[in-house]
């Protein structure tokens, strides 16, 4: 555990532009620049039930679960102080480059690439160590009620 940051001694406070918060989808802190980008870490435990069938001899995290984590982080970037209800409505250019398995620690990064009236486009990537395991050219998040 790291020591807390020192409080500035001058009357003017300098705020880190990165907001750090806990998110239930992720195992560590989530580093967020609201409306811009975010990075989070997800640990992949060997106790996930999906590993019993996907695949028993060489367990592999299903790509859709990795994509779901990208979407959850994208929603965190889109949420402002008064807005909720962002949902993943489109995905383009997804590539799964390497397997993710039990014991891996996945670092997920999303970045806003475009804004529309009620939607936001983001790019996303997932890494395990120095290896990119998945990318999404565009995740489209839409503000509105779930159907």
């Amino acid at each position: 555990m790291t020591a807390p940051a020192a409080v500035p001694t001058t009357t003017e406070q300098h705020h880190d532009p990165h907001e750090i918060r806990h998110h239930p989808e992720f195992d560590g802190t989530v580093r967020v620049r609201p409306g811009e980008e975010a990075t989070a870490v997800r640990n992949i435990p060997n106790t996930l039930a999906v590993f019993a069938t996907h695949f028993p001899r060489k367990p592999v995290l299903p790509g859709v679960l990795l994509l779901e984590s990208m979407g959850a982080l994208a929603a965190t970037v889109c949420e402002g102080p008064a807005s909720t209800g962002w949902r993943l409505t489109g995905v383009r250019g997804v590539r799964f480059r390497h397997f993710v398995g039990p014991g891996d620690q996945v670092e997920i990064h999303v970045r806003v690439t475009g804004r529309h009236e009620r939607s936001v486009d983001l790019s996303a990537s997932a890494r395990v160590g120095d290896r990119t395991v998945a990318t999404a050219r565009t995740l489209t998040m839409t503000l509105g009620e779930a159907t």
Side-chain angles (χ1 to χ4, degrees):
M1 181 177 260
T2 60
V7 176
T9 55
T10 65
T11 56
E12 179 182 45
Q13 293 207 4
H14 299 282
H15 296 285
D16 183 354
H18 299 90
E19 177 184 340
I20 298 177
R21 63 175 103 153
H22 176 72
H23 189 287
E25 174 84 16
F26 304 103
D27 297 302
T29 55
V30 177
R31 174 159 270 188
V32 180
R33 292 178 65 195
E36 295 179 36
E37 65 182 351
T39 303
V41 173
R42 180 174 179 207
N43 295 318
I44 309 301
N46 62 0
T47 56
L48 284 178
V50 71
F51 289 142
T53 58
H54 197 268
F55 297 96
R57 291 187 201 146
K58 177 156 179 34
V60 175
L61 183 72
V64 70
L65 296 181
L66 195 53
L67 191 58
E68 178 183 47
S69 292
M70 291 175 172
L73 188 57
T76 300
V77 171
C78 294
E79 288 177 357
S83 64
T84 58
W86 290 94
R87 58 192 177 96
L88 183 62
T89 57
V91 179
R92 289 188 303 275
V94 176
R95 292 188 63 192
F96 298 103
R97 299 167 184 242
H98 298 281
F99 294 119
V100 175
D104 284 342
Q105 185 175 67
V106 182
E107 180 181 282
I108 300 167
H109 182 79
V110 297
R111 184 176 57 83
V112 173
T113 58
R115 297 178 190 285
H116 311 283
E117 187 175 328
R118 293 187 58 81
S119 67
V120 177
D121 290 335
L122 304 98
S123 62
S125 64
R127 299 176 64 80
V128 172
D130 62 350
R131 175 183 274 191
T132 299
V133 295
T135 57
R137 186 179 64 239
T138 307
L139 301 176
T140 301
M141 303 298 292
T142 303
L143 182 59
E145 297 294 319
T147 56

